[in-house]
Amino acid sequence: MTDQDIPDDPDALCDVDIDVDIAVVGAGAAGLSLAHRLASAAGPHGAAPAVALVEAPDGPARTPARTWCFWETGDGPYDEAVRACWSRLRVRGPDGRVAEAELGGTRYKMIRSPDFTALVERRLARLPRLHRVTAAVDRVLDDPAGGAVVHGADASGRPVRVRARWVFDSRPPRRLPAARSTLLQHFRGWFVRCAADAFDPATVELMDFRTPQPAHGLSFGYVLPLGRREALVEYTEFSGAPLPREAYERALRHYTGRVLGLEGVSVVDTEQGVIPMTDAVFPRRAGRRVFRIGTAGGATRPATGYTFAAVQRQSDAIADAWRRGRVPVPPPAHSARHRAMDAVMLRAVDTGRVAGARFFSELFLRNPADRLLRFLDGRSRWWEEVAIGMSTPVLPMLRSAVELPLLRRRDAPVRRP
């Protein structure tokens, strides 16, 4: 492409104006993972593509530090950034019953976003065809002459333009697509340090339902030990709207003090977030040459909120398509079968037909851990899913499944604390 290929616009004189094979917008988990895969992937003619990674300037557009967890068997590509991993998981029901399981060769792994970013950026620095661009992106448009154009501005407000054959946009959606059911997984976590030994470093407390349950949805505690005296302790709700900050703090004080009985606790850091849990359809294509990835491309699992592993699968598939000379459209992050089952669960919980805390605790109490983990990770087979389904409240789930095709998808309301 040449400058004459680009339609006239006010960005004609740009502070940055580059031409690459692929542009990746956003430098979170999805953007960094894809840029790393692509910039080191030899294409059909032998050379890796020229990749531009467009990241937001310092400021509110940059996401705060966050924690990603996922299941993995054996060594993984980002093990250098893994902060902790666990070989055993525990789930506690609201009645105090405990499901505990050894994970065998699988590990539940935790990565902090600053560690992941530092690792990937070290690798990217060694790749000669990777270009770093800092800009607040305001438009990503197909170019009538071919390819697509990313328009933005740098920190001083000067125009930036990146032209590419393909663009992958990982920016979170401004508004969720229309859906039949939408809940939010919202949480606040304390990184705590205790005066005495309080945690088992090998065991993750995946869901502890001994928290007071909200009128709508469910709540649980989540404990990720980082040592015998240190852990990330979170209070999480699945419900219709986030809480005010003080409500999370009150819930965490109750959980760490009254439920866990921790003494001599110091809070050394915090994190907070909101994850959509919705049966909305996230379009993975935003133009002829523009694709969405990450949460915007449907990578977040509706029933659990897990995203990191699906991002890696999508990144691998896109890089493989590039290597084979195919259109690098992102594949669905989750199978249609799993999305359908998640939609039934969301409907049943959202309508109150099933008690969420009891529903999830019974899943772990009544199913082998390896089967359930395969289901949560999207690797289960249909006969395993039938067995899992039979361990749920069958009639409420059947009613939810039957009515789903009859329901209209509606815009999700804008909900704030």
Side-chain angles (χ1 to χ4, degrees), residues 180 399-409:
R180 294 164 299 197
R399 178 181 173 187
S400 299
V402 168
E403 74 181 7
L404 273 177
L406 307 177
L407 299 176
R408 285 183 54 198
R409 294 184 182 271

Side-chain angles (χ1 to χ4, degrees), residues 48 55 69-70 74 104 199-200 211 214 222 229 243 265 288:
E55 56 191 318
C69 289
F70 55 98
F199 306 106
D200 176 1
T211 52
Y222 182 42
R229 299 188 179 190
L243 304 176
V265 174
R288 289 181 298 108

